[in-house]
């Protein structure tokens, strides 16, 4: 399939998918199915936040599941002690995710490659242990319940799973659209330049550490929004397991399966992981992790660019970087002097 044909089909495909997602609660889906779909939206938005920094800035991370978990705890605490308003809880979740990312990311973004991955793992595990041991706030391994359904615009409690799902879908579209806008902006182009050749970008005058830090904080805010979605449906409960390495590894696995630099691929991989852990695994006698491991091996060895790379031929010399998203090609070194402005073109 050529790039031109994909470009023509993409808007229609996106429109069909969005209409289908919006209509699902109205076509006889069970309450359990709607709850699972809400968790899929949470996983997909978290995967997009990881794809932003991992695929476009080159920062493989195992910390973002913990950022989403912190946001979920912020929502539960706010609901129990301050307000049941959904929008205020969403603001708190986004602020909590961005705030923790800002505090922990300033040092992390100065590391590189394996050191950065291990540092992000340490950040996630530190927050996980904090959630386990700070029992006075988090109730430890017992978990924390928000205690009540949320309200919206001063109305009564929103308890119908379909209405909660629609609100979660709106949050997903808003923050997912923000991520896509950033990826397609000059800021996103600069991130990809830093990913592919940071010394060169630095020599062109780009403050690369600030760019990576900005992307890290933004991705933390998006992870915070996914944490709000995770506790939107009743019983609105969060436990320390949400911050664990297990969840962080699953989401990173979802991004790799879908395509590290593809947002729709990340969403597709997240949906596969969410459905496998919530639905399929129950029918496989507990062998869901084995199936996920097989999918991971297939993605690594047979689909180097993940599900998003299916149908795209490989180009260039062996060993060359082949971008997942043809709309954002990797920078090519022509040998000519360039100003920072031309890199963003």
């Amino acid at each position: 399939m050529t790039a031109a044909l994909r470009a023509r089909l993409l808007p229609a495909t996106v429109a069909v998918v969005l209409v289908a997602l919006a209509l699902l609660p109205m076509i006889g889906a069970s309450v359990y199915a709607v709850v699972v779909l809400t968790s899929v939206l949470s996983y997909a938005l978290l995967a997009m936040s990881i794809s932003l920094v991992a695929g476009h800035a080159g920062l493989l991370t195992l910390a973002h599941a913990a950022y989403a978990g912190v946001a979920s705890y912020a929502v539960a605490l706010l609901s129990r002690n301050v307000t049941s308003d959904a929008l205020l809880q969403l603001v708190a979740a986004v602020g909590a995710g961005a705030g923790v990312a800002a505090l922990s990311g300033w040092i992390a973004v100065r590391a590189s490659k394996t050191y950065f991955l291990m540092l992000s793992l340490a950040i996630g595990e530190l927050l996980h242990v904090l959630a386990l041991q700070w029992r006075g706030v988090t109730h430890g391994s017992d978990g924390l319940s928000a205690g009540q359904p949320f309200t919206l615009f001063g109305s009564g409690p929103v308890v119908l799973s379909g209405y909660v799902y629609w609100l979660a879908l709106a949050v997903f579209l808003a923050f997912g659209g923000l991520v896509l806008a950033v990826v397609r902006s000059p800021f996103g182009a600069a991130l990809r330049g830093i990913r592919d050749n940071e010394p060169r970008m630095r020599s062109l005058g780009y403050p690369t550490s600030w760019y990576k830090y900005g992307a890290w904080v933004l991705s933390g805010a998006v992870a915070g929004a996914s944490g709000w979605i995770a506790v939107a449906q009743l019983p609105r409960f969060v436990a320390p397991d949400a911050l664990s390495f297990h969840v962080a590894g699953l989401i990173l696995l979802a991004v790799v399966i879908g395509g590290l630099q593809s947002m729709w691929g990340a969403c597709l991989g997240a949906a596969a992981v969410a459905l496998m852990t919530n639905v399929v695994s129950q029918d496989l006698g507990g062998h869901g992790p084995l199936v996920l491991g097989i999918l991971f091996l297939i993605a690594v060895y047979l689909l180097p660019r993940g599900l998003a790379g299916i149908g795209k031929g490989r180009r260039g010399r062996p060993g060359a970087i082949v971008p997942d998203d043809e709309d954002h090609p990797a920078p090519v070194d022509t040998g000519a002097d360039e100003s920072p402005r031309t890199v963003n073109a």
Side-chain angles (χ1 to χ4, degrees):
M1 185 182 296
T2 65
L5 180 58
R6 282 196 298 271
R8 288 195 296 269
L9 291 178
L10 183 60
T13 303
V14 171
V16 170
V17 170
L18 291 180
V19 170
L21 287 174
L23 293 179
L24 280 172
M26 302 174 61
I27 57 177
S30 66
V31 173
Y32 177 72
V34 174
V35 171
V36 170
L37 286 171
T38 306
S39 70
V40 168
L41 294 177
S42 175
Y43 272 62
L45 190 58
L46 182 55
M48 292 183 73
S49 74
I50 293 175
S51 181
L52 174 62
V53 292
H56 294 268
L59 302 173
L60 285 175
T61 172
L62 289 168
H64 279 59
Y67 294 161
V70 168
S72 295
Y73 272 108
V75 170
L77 290 169
L78 198 70
S79 178
R80 291 169 65 95
N81 302 308
V82 181
T83 179
S84 62
D85 186 81
L87 295 182
L88 291 179
Q89 291 176 11
L90 175 61
V91 171
V94 172
V100 176
L103 291 174
S104 59
W106 179 245
I107 297 177
V109 297
R110 282 165 169 72
S112 60
K113 298 182 179 178
T114 304
Y115 300 104
F116 175 84
L117 182 64
M118 298 306 295
L119 188 55
S120 70
L121 172 61
I123 292 170
E125 283 300 291
L126 178 63
L127 293 172
H128 178 216
V129 172
L130 183 63
L132 277 171
Q133 297 187 354
W134 199 3
R135 295 190 59 88
V137 175
T138 65
H139 293 188
S141 60
D142 295 332
L144 186 66
S145 173
Q148 57 182 331
F150 58 70
T151 59
L152 187 63
F153 303 124
S155 64
V158 181
V159 295
L160 294 179
S161 59
Y163 291 160
V164 176
Y165 168 78
W166 281 326
L167 185 57
L169 179 61
V171 172
F172 169 79
L173 293 177
F175 284 88
L178 173 63
V179 172
L180 291 176
V182 170
V183 165
R184 287 164 170 76
S185 70
F187 180 81
L191 287 179
R192 289 184 290 277
I194 294 170
R195 175 199 66 197
D196 294 330
N197 197 333
E198 184 172 357
R200 185 186 183 201
M201 295 294 288
R202 193 181 297 115
S203 70
L204 291 172
Y206 283 88
T208 57
S209 294
W210 281 106
Y211 271 83
K212 292 190 292 185
Y213 182 64
W216 186 261
V217 175
L218 174 61
S219 66
V222 176
S226 76
W228 180 89
I229 296 176
V231 294
Q233 291 280 12
L234 293 173
R236 308 198 67 207
F237 178 82
V238 58
D241 287 346
L243 290 75
S244 66
F245 169 75
H246 174 71
V247 176
L250 279 179
I251 299 299
L252 185 57
L253 171 63
V255 175
V256 173
I257 290 175
L260 197 59
Q261 299 167 25
S262 170
M263 290 299 171
W264 75 262
C267 291
L268 192 59
V273 169
L275 293 175
M276 184 65 67
T277 55
N278 289 288
V279 180
V280 180
S281 183
Q282 300 177 15
D283 300 326
L284 296 178
H287 296 298
L290 175 62
V291 177
L292 282 175
I294 294 174
L295 287 176
F296 177 73
L297 291 176
I298 293 173
V300 170
Y301 289 104
L302 300 182
L303 301 172
R305 293 184 294 180
L307 297 174
I310 296 176
K312 296 181 180 180
R314 298 190 65 83
R315 304 178 304 277
R317 65 185 185 281
I321 294 176
V322 182
D324 289 334
D325 189 344
E326 293 181 354
D327 293 334
H328 309 295
V332 177
D333 190 354
T334 62
D337 291 336
E338 291 178 304
S339 66
R341 184 171 298 174
T342 60
V343 175
N344 292 336

